[in-house]
Amino acid sequence: MKTIYIKDENDIHQVKDTVLVLGYFDGLHLGHQELFRRAREIAERDHLQVAVLTFPESPKLTFVRYQPELLLHLLSPEKRMEELEDLGVEVLYLTDFTSDFASYNGKEFIQRYVKKLRAKVLVAGFDYSFGSDKRDVKTLETDFDGEVVIVSSINLGEEKVSSTRIRQAIRLGDVKLAGQLLGRPLSSRGIVVHGDARGRTIGYPTANLAPLDMTHLPADGVYVVEVEFEGKFYRGMASVGKNITFEGKELRFEVNIFDFSRDIYGHTITIHWLDKIRNMVKFDSVEGLVEQLESDETQARAWKNC
């Protein structure tokens, strides 16, 4: 996949005709995946390149009062690009969603960007809107003389799959639902750093992690996870939150990796969140904590996706 960063439409020098997929694609969830499946079919049928025009950060940053959460992603930028390539994207155009970009109405957007990208077919979700005049996706055909493919809602249960629904599930600690909506487990990368080393003294050594990416972490609690390290996967249990049993004040992100004994300080590992075991609890004694950890481990080892 070729990735091209552009300041504006003058930086576009597209050589081949394209099927252009439009959207922001935070998380590349099941609904997004359907867009790219349709785009690949059309590209094969009409001998076109699959191209995407999207943004490194959320367009909301241009419109609403700043909140730190607006800079968080469901996928790291690197992982997002890997997933886009796996989904068949051949050319990825990235541009900042600036006030200038936001000022173009729907017709100007098509003239300045869509035509410069040599789009013969447009693929967009049913809820896609564009232009400063907030044009509905159904009006794309008004100013675009090619084919427009509008992909209907993809539902899980009785609700549509959406990035908003995934973020809500993460905030509630429902990482299993988040993974189902994403089509793959939610993941987080971290570098292994030194902590209090208290886990070693009670038989449950943990790798303390400093998050590396601006991605969402699940709500405080203890979780079943798969740990990815040097191409191998290990079952484990991870916790997010303050170590309230030992009067901890700082947010901790740590993982106990089963059947693993190497020192891996300074290494980067990926945590794939599978399911929540329990909320964070303050224990009256170390013995009570150990007894609970033994129960957590049994549950985590036995966990199966069903």
Side-chain angles (χ1 to χ4, degrees):
M1 181 180 74
K2 188 175 183 180
T3 302
I4 303 169
Y5 292 86
I6 60 173
K7 182 178 180 182
D8 55 36
E9 72 275 17
N10 296 315
D11 293 333
I12 299 173
H13 305 287
Q14 177 65 28
V15 176
K16 296 181 180 180
D17 292 340
T18 66
V19 48
L20 180 62
V21 188
L22 298 170
Y24 173 48
F25 312 123
D26 187 20
L28 290 168
H29 55 60
L30 293 177
H32 296 149
Q33 292 168 35
E34 179 61 16
L35 297 183
F36 291 103
R37 187 190 69 78
R38 296 287 293 278
R40 291 195 306 272
E41 288 182 348
I42 294 165
E44 186 175 348
R45 180 194 74 192
D46 296 346
H47 307 290
L48 302 171
Q49 274 193 326
V50 178
V52 174
L53 173 65
T54 192
F55 318 102
E57 304 296 340
S58 171
K60 289 182 180 179
L61 286 162
T62 304
F63 298 112
V64 302
R65 188 177 187 278
Y66 172 72
Q67 301 173 37
E69 186 170 311
L70 290 173
L71 285 174
L72 297 180
H73 300 272
L74 294 174
L75 279 177
S76 69
E78 295 85 355
K79 188 64 176 176
R80 187 185 185 201
M81 289 185 185
E82 289 177 14
E83 293 287 342
L84 283 169
E85 185 167 18
D86 289 343
L87 289 168
V89 176
E90 296 169 86
V91 188
L92 170 63
Y93 287 91
L94 290 170
T95 189
D96 293 327
F97 199 99
T98 62
S99 298
D100 292 335
F101 186 90
S103 70
Y104 300 137
N105 62 35
K107 186 173 183 177
E108 290 172 328
F109 170 67
I110 291 172
Q111 292 294 327
R112 289 173 177 266
Y113 286 90
V114 173
K115 290 192 175 181
K116 285 291 293 281
L117 289 166
R118 297 185 58 133
K120 300 301 178 184
V121 182
L122 296 179
V123 178
F126 72 101
D127 54 355
Y128 176 75
S129 62
F130 65 105
S132 59
D133 45 353
K134 301 187 186 308
R135 294 266 294 274
D136 184 272
V137 65
K138 295 177 182 176
T139 68
L140 277 168
E141 295 174 339
T142 304
D143 299 300
F144 177 66
D145 55 8
E147 180 183 357
V148 177
V149 176
I150 300 174
V151 177
S152 301
S153 172
I154 301 298
N155 293 348
L156 184 68
E158 298 181 355
E159 297 181 55
K160 75 173 183 179
V161 175
S162 69
S163 297
T164 299
R165 188 179 174 192
I166 296 168
R167 287 190 289 268
Q168 182 182 25
I170 295 169
R171 282 195 294 270
L172 295 174
D174 194 347
V175 296
K176 184 175 183 180
L177 174 60
Q180 290 170 339
L181 296 167
L182 286 165
R184 69 186 108 67
L186 176 75
S187 62
S188 305
R189 289 196 315 155
I191 185 169
V192 180
V193 297
H194 286 276
D196 297 326
R198 189 177 285 116
R200 294 179 185 274
T201 67
I202 60 174
Y204 281 92
T206 60
N208 291 273
L209 299 172
L212 282 178
D213 305 306
M214 295 289 287
T215 54
H216 293 271
L217 283 174
D220 290 5
V222 178
Y223 295 84
V224 185
V225 298
E226 292 284 354
V227 181
E228 183 179 355
F229 174 64
E230 294 186 342
K232 295 182 179 180
F233 290 81
Y234 305 85
R235 180 60 59 88
M237 53 186 184
S239 64
V240 179
K242 297 176 182 177
N243 194 336
I244 53 179
T245 297
F246 297 99
E247 306 299 332
K249 303 294 185 183
E250 300 176 351
L251 180 70
R252 292 296 181 92
F253 170 27
E254 52 190 325
V255 59
N256 174 242
I257 310 173
F258 301 157
D259 308 315
F260 186 89
S261 58
R262 283 181 56 184
D263 280 338
I264 53 174
Y265 294 111
H267 285 276
T268 296
I269 64 177
T270 300
I271 305 300
H272 301 279
W273 306 91
L274 302 180
D275 206 351
K276 187 173 184 178
I277 298 175
R278 60 176 173 86
N279 293 325
M280 297 294 281
V281 178
K282 183 173 183 178
F283 294 91
D284 295 329
S285 66
V286 172
E287 291 77 15
L289 171 60
V290 172
E291 184 178 344
Q292 181 61 61
L293 290 173
E294 290 172 348
S295 175
D296 295 341
E297 179 182 356
T298 298
Q299 187 172 342
R301 286 184 180 274
W303 187 89
K304 294 181 181 179
N305 193 14
C306 56

